[in-house]
Amino acid sequence: MRMRLVIRLLVALFGIHATAAQAHKLSDSYLTLRATETNLIGEWHLALRDLNDAVGLDLNDDGAITWDELRAQQQAITAYALTRLRIGDGSHRKEISPTGFLVDYHSDGAYAVLRFRVAGMENATALQVGYQALFDIDPSHRGLVRLENAGATRLAVFGPETSSQRFVLGNRSTRAPFLTFLREGVWHIWGGYDHILFLIALLLPGVLRRVTEGWEPVDAGSAALTNVLKIVTAFTVAHSITLSLVALGVFHLPVRLVESAIAASVILAAFNNLVPFFAERGWMVAFGFGLVHGFGFANALQDLGLRHGQLAATLLGFNLGVELGQLVIVALFLPIALALRHLVFYQRFVLRFGSGAILSVAAAWFAERLFDFKWLPF
């Protein structure tokens, strides 16, 4: 009966959120560069929500950005973007000239599209790209770059620590930068506070077992390790399923639904520690969460227009990075929890207070995403 009530509540929440909320996907932009022997042209997609923070687009502060407001700020957008993008041949910076301005839509909303041409790149053998957009506003921002050259497509990710990268032109290799996206997978976990809190909420009772009177410590560390392995394995299997479905183009979830599921999963995991309705089946929550968590970044890569083979290889690297990042968190948390599990302090304070705090933060996240406002600084 309790489980049925929870399911009905989730359905109701998802339905409202899917229609009313703005997506809170991580900040990304999409830069496509097409290099030939005679010229270099580019197309840069920047989210309106990011540009609103950078240059101010909602001129009348009514919460909506119109085409007239966007057109009025076209010069400011172009100036902001082109002063934060450096392109050269490896020895000299080249002039970037805008050639077009329009609007496009990605999985998470509207984007301004800036088209440009780079002068003086005839017969260039190398391409040096410097990317500095939005990092001062949001350090978690990433620029996803696709370089088309010599009949091949190469990928790169620009961040605060990888803001300048060099490409050799004329190289026909189509190999995706596996290590780049492996690193991005680790960063995605460590920079994703909602996932970290979700994982901690699942791990908190991992060294305990439920009894009639409440919680008691497991007798052996091996039992706790088994519980944790179930959780990690469930998430890994679920994330691999997501990887396959997205890579093959079989399935797709809207960003709004993904973000709703992420916030609700954190709430569920923490609430389950206070009023158990999944009992010791935390692996089921991890499995459900794993199915939706990978879609956010997968949607971003799909927006780059990659072929299935490239998408699968890239997602594989990202997926392994996610698992590595998760295992580091487990390795840091589990020894401490095992050492403290026999203390009443852990059973009553750490478990209950920790779960309550996670529940409160997750509820605030859900409200932010539901009503489209920003309250928490993370």
Side-chain angles (χ1 to χ4, degrees), residues 184-220:
E184 287 301 310
V186 175
W187 167 86
H188 188 72
I189 292 299
W190 292 351
Y193 298 112
D194 48 4
H195 178 77
I196 291 176
L197 289 189
F198 172 81
L199 187 58
I200 292 176
L202 290 179
L203 293 176
L204 280 171
V207 296
L208 305 173
R209 62 168 172 263
R210 187 72 184 179
V211 294
T212 305
E213 298 79 12
W215 297 95
E216 68 176 20
V218 294
D219 296 329

Side-chain angles (χ1 to χ4, degrees), residues 53 72 80 93 141 159 163 165 177 232 262 291 337:
D53 294 334
Y80 175 84
R93 180 180 178 180
H141 173 77
S163 60
Q165 299 186 43
V232 174
I262 290 174
L291 286 174

Side-chain angles (χ1 to χ4, degrees), residues 57 60 62 64-71:
L57 302 182
N60 59 5
D62 65 348
I65 300 172
T66 66
W67 172 246
D68 287 339
E69 289 175 323
L70 190 61
R71 188 167 51 186

Side-chain angles (χ1 to χ4, degrees), residues 194-267:
D194 48 4
H195 178 77
I196 291 176
L197 289 189
F198 172 81
L199 187 58
I200 292 176
L202 290 179
L203 293 176
L204 280 171
V207 296
L208 305 173
R209 62 168 172 263
R210 187 72 184 179
V211 294
T212 305
E213 298 79 12
W215 297 95
E216 68 176 20
V218 294
D219 296 329
S222 58
L225 182 60
T226 299
N227 290 338
V228 171
L229 286 177
K230 286 181 180 179
I231 292 170
V232 174
T233 301
F235 181 86
T236 301
V237 171
H239 201 277
S240 298
I241 292 173
T242 299
L243 166 67
S244 301
L245 292 176
V246 173
L248 296 175
V250 175
F251 198 65
H252 172 76
L253 280 180
V255 172
R256 291 178 179 177
L257 182 58
V258 171
E259 295 299 325
S260 300
I262 290 174
S265 294
V266 180
I267 294 173

Side-chain angles (χ1 to χ4, degrees), residues 154-191:
R154 280 171 281 173
L155 305 177
V157 178
F158 285 76
E161 298 179 356
T162 55
S163 60
S164 181
Q165 299 186 43
R166 185 176 185 273
F167 305 89
V168 177
L169 299 180
N171 185 354
R172 296 184 60 85
S173 172
T174 60
R175 182 176 60 87
F178 180 84
L179 293 179
T180 295
F181 286 94
L182 181 73
R183 182 179 63 248
E184 287 301 310
V186 175
W187 167 86
H188 188 72
I189 292 299
W190 292 351

Side-chain angles (χ1 to χ4, degrees), residues 26 28 140 142 144 157 177-196 199 235 239 293-294 296-298 301 313-329:
L26 290 176
D28 298 310
S140 68
R142 291 296 184 268
L144 304 180
V157 178
F178 180 84
L179 293 179
T180 295
F181 286 94
L182 181 73
R183 182 179 63 248
E184 287 301 310
V186 175
W187 167 86
H188 188 72
I189 292 299
W190 292 351
Y193 298 112
D194 48 4
H195 178 77
I196 291 176
L199 187 58
F235 181 86
H239 201 277
H293 183 71
F297 200 83
L301 291 180
T314 302
L315 280 175
L316 177 60
F318 179 79
N319 188 53
L320 290 177
V322 166
E323 306 313 324
L324 287 176
Q326 180 175 257
L327 288 175
V328 170
I329 295 172

